[in-house]
């Protein structure tokens, strides 16, 4: 029985057409274009100054603001917050604003459906500046089914939805007409585009209208400006076929922007937090981790926890005398994208890589219900993360029993000890330890043995395992390999390059190249 069949046998119903759960506040702020933390704080202070000048500057920190939007707040916030919000958003009571709601996407323009061959772009609609529409918020779990284009006051926007950690983003897009020309995608940029003002993160979108359905190709605006700056004044802009806007490229753009925006916002706070870390051994029960990240966004807390855990493992790796086995808690693409983009994790993978004769094992627990509640973009990111691990000489195993989702992240040396290194789904930013306690070693050893014996990836080679994983995640293998090959040849940075010094596309490039090389070797 194949992995896809095994997963279908265990599949649970999760409902369709629902974009996600959040607070009413999230929808109201989105409608008023106040959904970013900076815009919200400006409006909050303006309103607070009219109520009580002492309340100016009391807006929620970024992490608290994210909890407000995601519906994680139990009850109501402090009374002064309620006063300001009710004045700031007339017609809405605090009780209503913090009531969870299920939001659905509504379009007044046709929405293109995703075709079964996995070659069509994401469900999308082009909404002109004059066309009225009702656009509610989106979440990552339905990314592939509800992805839309919006018009801003000057430029169209590509909307990146909120996730469990990502705050979401509206990316300005310069849309230009394009046409296929003997295997090339040729676009005519507007005059002066290379010398135009920088817009921060922005995209250039080449649109072919006479295709059915219309095709869009995306390029990072900095890459487009660099190409045009060295070309003749009347030169067109060439787009690689690899940059077609579909599930694959949308997943990458979503991950890059979700991580990049948060880390840039918190850059100074993160630098200060890293400077406070004890250069010696990390106390596994240290409360510092909670206070240290009080003002950080969820993504920045993820980065800090991951950084500490990587340091902890590398510092203690020489004490391991046997080929190590790893357990990782990532279950979804949003969490797994950190392997692909955090620069320190890429370096950590190189430092802990194996060889053909001595391959470490890395185990994950990804239950069927988690797969079914994850959008296609997230499943693509999860598979790319597994490909990256396999590329470093690590054998990936995946078990599906939900009871193992509570197992903390660890590195196990069966002979002597275990290194606990946990930062995913924990109540503190990190949890690290070095233990030789027999009950703990037995628990970890049992988990690894179970995952290896019950893995849904029974193949004997990286290609076989990743192909089985694609089946389990309900992804078309041939399409994945083709798109990975195209992006490996063209490079990820031209599509969407991170700005933060803490991120790198090296992991994404390597994962795509590895998938491409596996397919060539298997032919």
């Amino acid at each position: 029985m194949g992995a896809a069949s095994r997963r279908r046998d265990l599949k649970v119903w999760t409902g369709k057409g629902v974009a996600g759960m959040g607070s009413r506040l999230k929808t109201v702020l989105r409608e008023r274009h106040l959904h970013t933390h900076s815009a919200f704080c400006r409006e909050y202070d303006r309103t607070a100054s009219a109520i009580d000048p002492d309340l100016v500057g009391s807006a929620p920190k970024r992490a608290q603001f994210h909890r407000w939007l995601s519906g994680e707040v139990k009850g109501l916030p402090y009374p002064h917050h309620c006063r300001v919000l009710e004045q700031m958003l007339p017609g809405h009571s605090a009780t209503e604003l913090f009531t969870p709601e299920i939001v659905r996407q509504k379009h007044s323009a046709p929405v293109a459906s995703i075709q079964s061959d996995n070659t069509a772009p994401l469900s999308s609609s082009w909404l002109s500046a004059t066309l009225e529409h009702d656009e509610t918020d989106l979440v990552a779990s339905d990314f592939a089914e509800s992805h839309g284009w919006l018009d801003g006051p000057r430029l169209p926007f590509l909307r990146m939805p909120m996730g469990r950690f990502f705050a979401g983003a509206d990316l300005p897009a310069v849309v230009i007409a394009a046409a296929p020309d003997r295997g090339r995608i040729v676009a005519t940029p507007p005059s002066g585009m290379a010398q135009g003002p920088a817009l921060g993160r922005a995209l250039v979108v080449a649109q072919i209208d006479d295709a059915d359905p219309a095709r869009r190709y995306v390029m990072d605006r900095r890459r487009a400006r660099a190409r045009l700056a060295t070309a003749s004044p009347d030169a067109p802009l060439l787009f690689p076929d690899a940059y077609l806007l579909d599930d694959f490229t949308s997943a990458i753009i979503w991950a890059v922007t979700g991580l990049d925006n948060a880390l840039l916002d918190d850059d100074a706070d993160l630098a200060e937090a890293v400077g406070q870390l004890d250069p010696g051994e990390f106390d596994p029960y240290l409360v510092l981790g909670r206070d240290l990240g009080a003002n950080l966004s969820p993504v920045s807390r993820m980065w800090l926890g991951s950084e500490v855990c990587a340091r902890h493992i590398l510092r203690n790796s020489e004490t391991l005398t046997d080929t190590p086995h790893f357990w990782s808690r990532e279950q979804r693409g949003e969490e797994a994208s950190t392997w692909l983009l955090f620069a320190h994790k890429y370096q950590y993978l190189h430092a802990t890589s194996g060889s053909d004769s001595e391959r470490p094992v890395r185990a994950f627990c990804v239950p069927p219900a988690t797969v079914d509640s994850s959008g296609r973009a997230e499943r693509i990111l999860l598979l790319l993360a597994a490909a990256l691990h396999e590329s470093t000489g690590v054998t990936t195993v995946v078990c599906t029993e939900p009871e193992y989702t509570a197992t903390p992240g660890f590195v196990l040396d069966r002979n002597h000890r275990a290194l606990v290194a946990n930062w995913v789904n924990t109540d503190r930013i990190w949890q690290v330890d070095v233990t030789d306690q027999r009950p703990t070693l037995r628990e970890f050893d049992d988990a690894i043995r179970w995952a290896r014996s019950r893995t849904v990836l029974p193949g004997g080679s990286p290609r076989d395992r990743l192909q089985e994983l694609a089946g389990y995640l309900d992804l078309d293998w041939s399409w994945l390999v083709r798109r990975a090959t195209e992006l490996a040849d063209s490079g990820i940075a031209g599509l969407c390059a991170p700005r933060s010094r803490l991120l790198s596309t090296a992991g994404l490039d390597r994962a795509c190249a590895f998938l491409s090389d596996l397919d060539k070797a298997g032919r």
Side-chain angles (χ1 to χ4, degrees):
M1 182 182 296
S5 299
R6 287 192 292 272
R7 190 176 72 82
R8 283 194 293 270
D9 292 342
L10 298 169
K11 185 175 181 180
V12 299
W13 184 85
T14 58
K16 299 297 179 182
V18 177
M21 182 72 74
S23 66
R24 174 64 180 163
L25 176 65
K26 180 171 63 175
T27 302
V28 174
L29 292 179
R30 176 72 75 179
E31 291 170 350
R32 288 163 171 74
H33 305 291
L34 298 173
H35 53 285
T36 65
H37 184 247
S38 58
F40 174 84
C41 288
R42 286 193 297 269
E43 186 64 18
Y44 185 101
D45 285 345
R46 188 188 69 80
T47 304
S49 65
I51 298 175
D52 182 349
D54 291 339
L55 295 178
V56 175
S58 66
K61 300 297 184 182
R62 186 174 288 105
Q64 183 182 4
F65 178 65
H66 184 81
R67 289 193 293 271
W68 282 12
L69 298 187
S70 62
E72 296 177 7
V73 177
K74 296 181 180 180
L76 296 177
Y78 290 122
H80 74 274
H81 286 315
C82 295
R83 289 174 58 197
V84 175
L85 286 172
E86 290 179 348
Q87 182 72 21
M88 177 178 163
L89 304 170
H92 301 281
S93 67
T95 300
E96 175 194 351
L97 291 172
F98 287 92
T99 298
E101 71 171 359
I102 296 176
V103 293
R104 299 171 183 272
Q105 172 138 11
K106 298 177 182 179
H107 293 288
S108 54
V111 179
S113 61
I114 301 176
Q115 297 179 5
S116 59
D117 63 358
N118 294 332
T119 60
L122 287 170
S123 269
S124 56
S125 63
W126 176 255
L127 308 181
S128 67
T130 58
L131 185 62
E132 295 183 0
H133 60 276
D134 178 10
E135 177 75 32
T136 60
D137 196 19
L138 311 179
V139 294
S141 61
D142 278 82
F143 190 88
E145 289 79 21
S146 50
H147 187 77
W149 289 83
L150 300 180
D151 271 20
R154 297 179 182 175
L155 293 172
F157 285 80
L158 178 61
R159 173 156 291 172
M160 293 289 107
M162 290 182 66
R164 298 166 188 84
F165 306 99
F166 298 168
D170 289 344
L171 305 180
V174 179
V175 181
I176 55 180
D181 177 30
R182 290 167 289 183
R184 307 179 303 166
I185 307 301
V186 181
T188 304
S191 177
M193 180 177 169
Q195 293 76 36
L199 300 176
R201 176 174 296 285
L203 302 173
V204 179
V205 179
Q207 180 160 295
I208 301 178
D209 288 319
D210 58 1
D212 186 20
R215 297 198 305 273
R216 302 184 182 101
Y217 297 81
V218 179
M219 185 181 296
D220 190 293
R221 189 165 190 257
R222 292 200 303 185
R223 173 62 63 89
R225 285 163 58 92
R227 288 189 173 186
L228 292 174
T230 56
S232 301
D234 58 346
L237 185 61
L238 300 181
F239 282 70
D241 281 332
Y243 293 172
L244 173 71
L245 184 63
D246 63 357
D247 293 352
F248 206 115
T249 49
S250 293
I252 292 172
I253 296 170
W254 180 65
V256 170
T257 56
L259 296 173
D260 199 40
N261 291 348
L263 294 178
L264 285 174
D265 283 347
D266 288 338
D267 186 71
D269 291 335
L270 276 173
E272 181 181 358
V274 171
Q276 295 180 39
L277 295 177
D278 183 356
E281 293 291 336
F282 292 105
D283 182 349
Y285 307 108
L286 198 61
V287 182
L288 174 64
R290 293 175 178 172
D291 299 334
L292 202 59
N295 297 327
L296 297 177
S297 68
V299 166
S300 296
R301 290 167 63 90
M302 290 167 64
W303 181 90
L304 186 59
S306 174
E307 168 75 10
V308 170
C309 288
R311 290 188 187 188
H312 171 68
I313 292 173
L314 293 177
R315 181 177 292 116
N316 292 281
S317 60
E318 293 183 358
T319 66
L320 304 177
T321 60
D322 193 16
T323 302
H325 294 327
F326 300 85
W327 186 281
S328 292
R329 297 195 73 185
E330 294 86 359
Q331 300 177 50
R332 296 178 173 87
E334 188 175 9
E335 301 157 351
S337 67
T338 60
W339 287 107
L340 300 164
L341 289 163
F342 282 177
H344 70 258
K345 293 185 82 68
Y346 187 68
Q347 297 164 0
Y348 159 80
L349 283 176
H350 274 285
T352 58
S353 61
S355 62
D356 290 338
S357 60
E358 197 174 39
R359 293 180 66 95
V361 169
R362 183 174 293 276
F364 297 85
C365 180
V366 185
T370 302
V371 176
D372 293 331
S373 64
S374 297
R376 196 156 173 258
E378 284 212 88
R379 287 178 272 132
I380 291 170
L381 292 170
L382 187 60
L383 186 135
L384 288 174
L388 177 60
H389 286 112
E390 290 278 354
S391 76
T392 63
V394 176
T395 296
T396 305
V397 298
V398 176
C399 67
T400 63
E401 291 73 19
E403 55 268 29
Y404 287 99
T405 58
T407 304
F410 64 79
V411 184
L412 176 66
D413 178 345
R414 291 189 177 183
N415 292 332
H416 296 285
R417 60 175 61 190
L419 309 178
V420 178
N422 198 50
W423 59 273
V424 178
N425 297 325
T426 180
D427 62 349
R428 53 184 69 190
I429 299 180
W430 67 76
Q431 176 192 4
V432 296
D433 196 5
V434 179
T435 181
D436 57 2
Q437 296 295 313
R438 291 183 63 178
T440 302
L441 295 179
R442 177 59 183 269
E443 176 191 352
F444 291 170
D445 187 60
D446 286 348
I448 287 288
R449 288 179 183 275
W450 179 272
R452 294 187 69 176
S453 63
R454 302 299 181 96
T455 180
V456 295
L457 317 179
S461 68
R463 185 181 191 277
D464 292 339
R465 287 189 291 273
L466 291 172
Q467 192 166 8
E468 288 286 341
L469 180 59
Y472 179 65
L473 298 177
D474 197 19
L475 298 172
D476 182 83
W477 173 255
S478 60
W479 175 82
L480 279 170
V481 169
R482 177 175 62 81
R483 294 296 284 128
T485 299
E486 293 170 349
L487 284 163
D489 291 340
S490 299
I492 302 295
L495 173 73
C496 187
R499 271 61 168 169
S500 171
R501 59 191 171 84
L502 305 176
L503 298 179
S504 167
T505 61
L508 274 169
D509 285 323
R510 177 162 180 160
C512 289
F514 186 70
L515 284 174
S516 176
D517 293 342
L518 280 181
D519 186 65
K520 293 176 182 177
R523 292 176 186 173

